[in-house]
């Protein structure tokens, strides 16, 4: 859907799918960071001696507390061994790159092309390349709908943070200190609005794909293409409050009679046989998230709290939950391009509490549905509806046993539950999809099969993707197990498994690996496959996780841990606290093509990194902060910032400037800049606690006044690296106030 022609190498790259991860370069910084975090956990274990944590906080900011060394010499030696291995990350084993030089160039060409937007399709995993102008037009068409969105003259994150701070003060008795800190003390980044192409609902696209003979299909702009609106705000002003409310409310979901956890859970509600005249009927709520009025949502949540108050943590009152939820719902502001918007109706897809909220709202309307069904059809059928009507978010399903006329009446009842809630209907006596399951009726017998949308690309992870080998080797078995769980009929099952093998071989999986996985899955009894557990798994509190970014070019730190572990065993104290079997090694994924090629943030022009003030009205640093894209030192040299920074950024190199004489001081901080400024101001005021050479100067020369500018950010929490950078910049810019 773009006028741009895609080159052969770009097609070759995109054929791998957005999940594909190119082999990363050796990364010492990431490895050092991950090793330091593991060492910190070891010191914490030794410091607290496995003491039970009695803190009842359900959310909290990550602690930066790090016990000092020299408490146990064997632990110190072990940590030195790990740190040395991480710093000397010179693995001699040759690692072959999983993409060619031309494919790497294709990543750059696609990333740097300002005329296109790359998005993953809403469903099916297909990759959609759109003209940037076309994409912008479609987004603005949605955002100009004044029923749902309102354009703002400015960013309102600052106001929202003020509301949350007043809220935490009002309910201070309900919150622990750590919870209050979590809700208010963080660096805010404004949410971004974007859309995912709903190609599965575009008839023009489906028609254009009928005769496709290649992976890449070029289509004209379809007039019936819609975008699913997403608000991406993992650190927006309301995200943390939304997350906390989700934790509080989520236990209520399982008490909604219609609640279905996922398609595997749905299987347990499907009967083996039905009456021969039974219809299968599915209903779908039109644009559920955006169509829930705030007053309806708050009424629904109040209903469930009153009905199941015992499921709610006793510290959180009804008023606390409803007022907090109202803040989240009514302050969903975001940016698209350079424009600020507020969502005035519904909740945004992307808000943490949204799925729980939507589940409970529809559950509330379903209570009205049961009463209305009782009035129209009688108590017996109302009870049948209550027990057999199943729903996953906005997708509903029922085996209908009454007449077609009764079905129409029932559909009308649904559409009359609330003026904002409209249901579409699909019915069949033969087969009907629900979620990823195709439900088939053969006479009275019910069987199930897999369901794929026509636009499904079957773009499974390519075998040569830079993922841990165990991850890739488990994929064929997990997928085969899923087939065997859903498809019971032997003929259909064998057909689906052969189909699966074809898909996996296309993705370069070894044939013997696929065959072994299929045979293993087929041997599991159906009763075992369909055994569904709702209990969550809790980790062993004795476990210590060593988490590193997967990179075959880096040292295997787990091997280093095992090799050096005897050093720890020399300590009688540590031997009792830390066991090798309790060290859990896990690997996070390096950037895949989705992260490299797609962006939530949309800008018409290239964004320039800048230093800006935070959104906190009580911030003590904002009055001292110099903002902008560049900074000129007293020596005359100018430095251009490479990343966005604010008062609440961490791991910074900064420059303080005397407002009287203009002399500079360069410093570093691992904590938030606002915390470091607080210390500087204390040292300027109180000579007895001064530790920095600039404090006396700022006191005497400028009467305590200064400007501060963070000009360099390190993407790793490592003091040695920060100090090394600090020394480098001191040598480069020669600030006089760094001389004692």
């Amino acid at each position: 859907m773009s006028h741009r022609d895609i080159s052969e190498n770009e097609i070759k790259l995109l054929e791998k799918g957005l999940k594909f991860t190119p082999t990363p370069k050796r990364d010492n910084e990431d490895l050092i960071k991950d090793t330091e975090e593991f060492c910190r956990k070891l010191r914490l274990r030794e410091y607290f001696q496995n003491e039970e944590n009695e803190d009842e906080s359900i959310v909290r900011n990550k602690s930066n507390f790090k016990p000092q060394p020299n408490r146990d010499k064997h632990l110190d030696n072990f940590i030195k061994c790990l740190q040395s291995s991480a710093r000397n990350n010179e693995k001699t084993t040759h690692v072959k790159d999983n993409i060619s030089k031309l494919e790497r160039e294709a990543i750059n060409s696609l990333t740097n092309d300002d005329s296109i937007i790359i998005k993953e399709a809403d469903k099916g995993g297909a990759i959609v390349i759109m003209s940037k102008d076309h994409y912008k037009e479609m987004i603005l068409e949605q955002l100009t709908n004044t029923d749902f969105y309102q354009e703002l003259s400015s960013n309102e994150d600052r106001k929202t943070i003020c509301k949350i701070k007043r809220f935490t003060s009002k309910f201070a008795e309900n919150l622990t200190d750590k919870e209050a800190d979590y809700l208010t003390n963080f660096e805010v980044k404004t949410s971004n609005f974007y859309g995912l192409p709903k190609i599965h609902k575009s008839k023009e696209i489906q028609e254009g794909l009928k005769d496709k003979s290649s992976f890449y299909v070029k289509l004209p702009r379809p007039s019936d293409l819609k975008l699913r609106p997403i608000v991406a705000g993992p650190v927006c002003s309301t995200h943390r409050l939304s997350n906390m409310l989700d934790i509080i409310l989520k236990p209520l979901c399982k008490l909604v009679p219609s609640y279905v956890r996922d398609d595997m859970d749905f299987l347990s509600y499907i009967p083996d046989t039905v009456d021969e005249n039974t219809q299968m009927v599915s209903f779908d709520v039109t644009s559920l998230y955006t169509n829930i009025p705030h007053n309806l949502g708050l009424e629904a949540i109040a209903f469930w709290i009153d009905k199941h108050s015992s499921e709610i943590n006793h510290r959180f009152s009804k008023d606390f939950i409803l007022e907090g939820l109202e803040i989240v719902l009514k302050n969903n502001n975001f940016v698209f391009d350079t424009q600020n918007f507020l969502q005035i109706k519904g909740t945004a897809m992307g808000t943490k509490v949204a799925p729980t909220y939507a589940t409970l709202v529809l559950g509330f309307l379903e209570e009205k549905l049961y009463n209305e069904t009782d009035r129209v059809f009688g108590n017996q059928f109302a009870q049948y509806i209550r027990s057999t009507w199943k729903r996953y978010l906005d997708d509903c399903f029922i085996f209908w046993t009454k007449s077609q006329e009764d079905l129409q009446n029932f559909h009308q009842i649904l559409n009359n539950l609330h003026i904002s809630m409209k249901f579409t209907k699909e019915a069949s006596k033969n087969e009907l999809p629900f979620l990823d399951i195709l439900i088939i009726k053969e006479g009275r017998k019910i069987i199930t099969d897999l369901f794929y949308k026509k636009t499904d690309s079957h773009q499974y992870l390519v075998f040569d993707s830079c993922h841990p080998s165990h991850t890739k080797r488990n994929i064929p078995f997990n997928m085969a197990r899923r087939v065997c769980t859903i498809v019971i009929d032997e003929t259909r099952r064998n057909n689906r498994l052969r189909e699966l093998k074809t898909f996996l071989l296309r993705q370069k999986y070894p044939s013997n690996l696929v065959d072994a996985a299929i045979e293993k899955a087929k041997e599991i009894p159906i009763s075992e496959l369909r055994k569904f557990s709702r209990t969550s798994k809790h980790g062993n509190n004795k476990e210590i996780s060593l988490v590193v970014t997967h990179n075959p070019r880096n040292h295997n730190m787990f091997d280093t841990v095992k090799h050096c572990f005897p050093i720890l065993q020399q300590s009688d104290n540590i031997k009792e606290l830390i066991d090798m079997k309790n060290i859990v090694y896990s690997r996070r994924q390096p950037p895949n093509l989705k992260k490299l090629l797609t962006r939530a943030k949309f800008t018409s022009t290239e964004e320039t990194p800048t230093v800006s003030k935070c959104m906190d009205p009580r911030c003590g640093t904002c009055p001292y902060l110099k903002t902008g894209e560049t900074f000129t030192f007293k020596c005359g040299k100018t430095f251009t910032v490479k990343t966005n920074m604010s008062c609440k950024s961490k791991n910074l190199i900064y420059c303080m400037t005397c407002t009287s004489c203009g002399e500079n001081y360069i410093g570093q901080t691992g904590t938030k800049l606002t915390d470091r400024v607080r210390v500087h101001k204390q040292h300027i005021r109180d000579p007895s606690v001064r530790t920095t050479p600039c404090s006396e100067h700022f006191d005497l020369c400028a009467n305590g006044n200064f400007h501060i500018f963070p000009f360099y950010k390190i993407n790793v929490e490592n003091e040695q690296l920060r100090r090394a950078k600090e020394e480098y910049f001191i040598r480069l810019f020669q600030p006089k106030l760094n001389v004692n």
Side-chain angles (χ1 to χ4, degrees), residues 693-711:
C694 62
S695 301
E696 184 177 3
H697 179 92
F698 289 136
D699 181 23
L700 299 176
C701 182
N703 196 29
N705 293 316
F706 59 88
H707 294 309
I708 190 165
F709 187 87
F711 61 90

Side-chain angles (χ1 to χ4, degrees), residues 218-251:
K218 192 169 183 177
L219 298 171
R221 295 182 180 182
S223 59
D224 64 343
L225 178 63
K226 303 295 181 184
L227 300 176
R228 183 177 298 281
I230 310 287
V231 178
V235 281
C236 71
S237 54
T238 61
H239 174 77
R240 292 195 166 191
L241 179 57
S242 179
N243 181 49
M244 185 176 184
L245 292 171
D246 186 54
I247 294 170
I248 295 169
L249 293 172
K250 196 179 285 289

Side-chain angles (χ1 to χ4, degrees), residues 29 32 63 163 216 363 402 440 451 568 627 631 686 698:
E29 282 196 4
I32 290 170
S63 172
K163 292 175 184 177
Y216 171 58
K402 288 187 169 292
I440 303 165
F451 173 72
L568 278 183
T627 61
F631 183 79
D686 187 356
F698 289 136

Side-chain angles (χ1 to χ4, degrees), residues 36-44 62-65:
E36 288 291 336
E37 179 57 24
F38 176 66
C39 294
R40 175 177 170 271
K41 292 175 183 176
L42 294 174
R43 292 202 184 279
L44 289 171
K62 183 182 176 181
S63 172
N64 291 316
F65 174 67

